[in-house]
Amino acid sequence: MIYVYDGSIEGLLTVIFDSYKVLEDLDDIVKKDEQINFFKDRINCLTDIEKAERVKKSVIKNFSYSFYNNILMVFSSCHEKKELAIAKTLKKLYVKGSYYLESADEDVILFRNILKRVSGEIHSYKGLLRFDEMDGFLFAKFKPENDILYYIFKHFKRRLVKEKFIIADTRRNRAVIYDGEKAEFFDYKMTDDFKIEDNYVELWRVFYDAIAIKERKNEKLRTKNMPKKYWNNLPEINRFN
């Protein structure tokens, strides 16, 4: 049996509410625009905000707000089985109790692994994101594997107090603009405005070269600490972009 939902967290929580009694037997939970196995029974689940809110409140009450945040973080993953990992882990957690989260069950192992990958990517970009300056705003672009724009925004909102900035996820064509007080998330179309090269970038490169110690240069160690997939938007490495 396959449940089809709208791709929102509210939609997934509605699926969990509606399918709770048979969650263990589900073959998959997929978004409407994904390819579906037509040889299996499928149920189209309409998002119900009231049902989703009941599930959310129950998770927070019975477990913790921190665990609910872990669910949100797993949901932000690009993993194709993230919905099943969330749904089945949550059902077994209710049935077996909190110790289940540390068990060797395959569903919770998948949940933990997805959570680890997402949190690891968030941690990496907290240190690797680079900002340019444009018309009074700081601007940064990145291309994460997972949908982590919200988490990166929260980090830099705390770090860049009262600064105005824009962060763009170029994989999903989605960005956030923060004016020092309030934030707005929006979708955009890629234009030349998102390919900025100015004096701010050159200043960063001068700073990077000034603090570098030539005798301690170790490309192997740098690649280990900072995998090349993160290099695309680093001005100190991409000298001629």
Side-chain angles (χ1 to χ4, degrees):
M1 182 182 299
I2 298 174
Y3 268 75
V4 183
Y5 79 115
D6 65 1
S8 68
I9 183 60
E10 293 81 10
L12 177 59
L13 294 180
T14 302
V15 170
I16 292 173
F17 184 96
D18 287 348
S19 67
Y20 183 79
K21 292 182 179 180
V22 295
L23 262 178
E24 296 92 333
D25 300 321
L26 291 191
D27 296 298
D28 211 349
I29 303 172
V30 301
K31 301 182 185 68
K32 287 181 180 179
D33 58 350
E34 293 180 341
Q35 187 173 0
I36 299 173
N37 185 333
F38 290 99
F39 293 100
K40 294 183 182 296
D41 293 333
R42 62 186 187 277
I43 297 175
N44 291 309
C45 185
L46 297 178
T47 298
D48 186 316
I49 299 300
E50 184 178 342
K51 291 179 180 178
E53 190 64 22
R54 287 177 63 181
V55 174
K56 174 183 176 180
K57 288 181 177 179
S58 176
V59 171
I60 294 172
K61 178 182 178 181
N62 287 282
F63 308 113
S64 68
Y65 192 82
S66 176
F67 179 70
Y68 180 72
N69 279 336
N70 287 345
I71 289 176
L72 296 181
M73 194 171 290
V74 172
F75 186 73
S76 71
S77 167
C78 62
H79 197 288
E80 62 180 6
K81 295 298 181 182
K82 65 182 182 182
E83 292 93 349
L84 272 185
I86 292 171
K88 291 192 174 184
T89 293
L90 188 55
K91 171 63 181 287
K92 292 178 181 178
L93 184 57
Y94 275 108
V95 173
K96 300 182 178 183
S98 297
Y99 83 92
Y100 170 71
L101 290 177
E102 304 301 325
S103 73
D105 181 84
E106 62 180 2
D107 292 319
V108 77
I109 288 177
L110 178 59
F111 183 92
R112 292 199 305 259
N113 287 342
I114 294 174
L115 180 63
K116 183 178 180 180
R117 290 195 64 176
V118 174
S119 60
E121 187 176 40
I122 292 170
H123 178 74
S124 294
Y125 276 115
K126 284 179 180 180
L128 296 174
L129 203 67
R130 299 288 186 264
F131 286 87
D132 301 340
E133 190 173 24
M134 178 188 71
D135 298 330
F137 275 83
L138 298 178
F139 176 84
K141 60 180 180 179
F142 71 143
K143 194 175 182 179
E145 292 182 6
N146 302 295
D147 189 5
I148 59 174
L149 178 62
Y150 172 73
Y151 298 100
I152 299 303
F153 159 71
K154 281 180 60 179
H155 171 74
F156 284 101
K157 179 184 176 182
R158 292 191 295 267
R159 291 290 301 274
L160 304 175
V161 181
K162 294 300 181 181
E163 290 282 1
K164 299 176 181 179
F165 63 81
I166 300 171
I167 302 175
D169 177 345
T170 60
R171 184 182 296 277
R172 296 166 184 81
N173 285 357
R174 186 159 178 79
V176 57
I177 182 169
Y178 181 66
D179 66 2
E181 295 183 358
K182 58 183 181 298
E184 176 100 17
F185 288 81
F186 61 95
D187 297 320
Y188 68 88
K189 293 182 179 179
M190 180 63 76
T191 68
D192 288 341
D193 292 336
F194 286 86
K195 300 175 182 177
I196 300 163
E197 184 75 9
D198 57 20
N199 290 333
Y200 184 89
V201 175
E202 188 56 38
L203 283 173
W204 170 257
R205 288 172 176 160
V206 170
F207 169 74
Y208 178 84
D209 291 340
I211 64 172
I213 302 175
K214 185 177 180 180
E215 291 76 12
R216 294 185 180 180
K217 187 175 181 180
N218 187 330
E219 289 296 330
K220 184 176 180 180
L221 180 61
R222 176 162 73 170
T223 301
K224 180 179 179 181
N225 291 333
M226 183 171 56
K228 288 188 176 181
K229 67 180 181 179
Y230 297 118
W231 290 15
N232 289 343
N233 297 308
L234 298 182
E236 67 268 28
I237 294 177
N238 298 298
R239 300 282 174 157
F240 304 106
N241 288 352

